[in-house]
Amino acid sequence: MERLHAAVEAAALLLEYAGAAVILIGVAAATVWFVRCGLRDRAWGRAYTDYRANLGRGILLGLELLVGADIIATITAPLTFESVGLLALIVGIRTLLSFSLETEIEGCWPWERRRLTDQEARGR
């Protein structure tokens, strides 16, 4: 049982590292893409808009991995009201950040997406 406990802790730690790596790689890739597009097209305004969206996507994916790591880590931690409350707070904050980032990237509220997609399809 102790081996399983250690393996789950290692998996959670690996997911945390993966989440941080995804965020760092996302920032680097978005920055390179921003500079490349800005220099190529000289449309810095559009490149900046794309840059923000690409940064958000990288952060969003990294946050999802970090939330997964937190959830897995609770399996190994002794369950107390304090540890569960802390997990709920962390997951809540990260979920709020994810929601905010996704709204920023898409440019609309999640519940408006389908209506906008339907309007675009009818407009074609």
Side-chain angles (χ1 to χ4, degrees), residues 72-105:
I72 290 173
T74 60
I75 295 170
T76 62
L79 291 179
T80 64
F81 283 114
E82 185 177 329
S83 67
V84 171
L86 184 60
L87 173 68
L89 183 64
I90 290 170
V91 169
I93 290 170
R94 288 185 179 167
T95 301
L96 181 64
L97 283 173
S98 295
F99 178 80
S100 299
L101 283 169
E102 190 170 338
T103 301
E104 179 74 22
I105 291 167

Side-chain angles (χ1 to χ4, degrees), residues 9-124:
E9 280 183 348
L13 187 61
L14 185 65
L15 264 180
E16 285 180 0
Y17 287 143
V22 165
I23 292 172
L24 291 173
I25 291 168
V27 168
T31 303
V32 168
W33 188 260
F34 166 68
V35 171
R36 184 174 158 248
C37 289
L39 291 174
R40 183 189 63 211
D41 301 335
R42 299 285 186 221
W44 289 100
R46 177 174 166 90
Y48 175 73
T49 302
D50 292 345
Y51 181 54
R52 285 185 51 158
N54 290 333
L55 278 175
R57 287 182 187 100
I59 293 169
L60 189 59
L61 182 58
L63 280 173
E64 295 296 332
L65 291 171
L66 290 171
V67 167
D70 288 336
I71 292 169
I72 290 173
T74 60
I75 295 170
T76 62
L79 291 179
T80 64
F81 283 114
E82 185 177 329
S83 67
V84 171
L86 184 60
L87 173 68
L89 183 64
I90 290 170
V91 169
I93 290 170
R94 288 185 179 167
T95 301
L96 181 64
L97 283 173
S98 295
F99 178 80
S100 299
L101 283 169
E102 190 170 338
T103 301
E104 179 74 22
I105 291 167
E106 296 293 328
C108 64
W109 298 107
W111 52 86
E112 293 178 329
R113 245 179 251 135
R114 182 172 178 137
R115 182 179 49 83
L116 293 175
T117 303
D118 291 345
Q119 286 175 352
E120 289 174 3
R122 277 184 254 138
R124 289 184 188 163

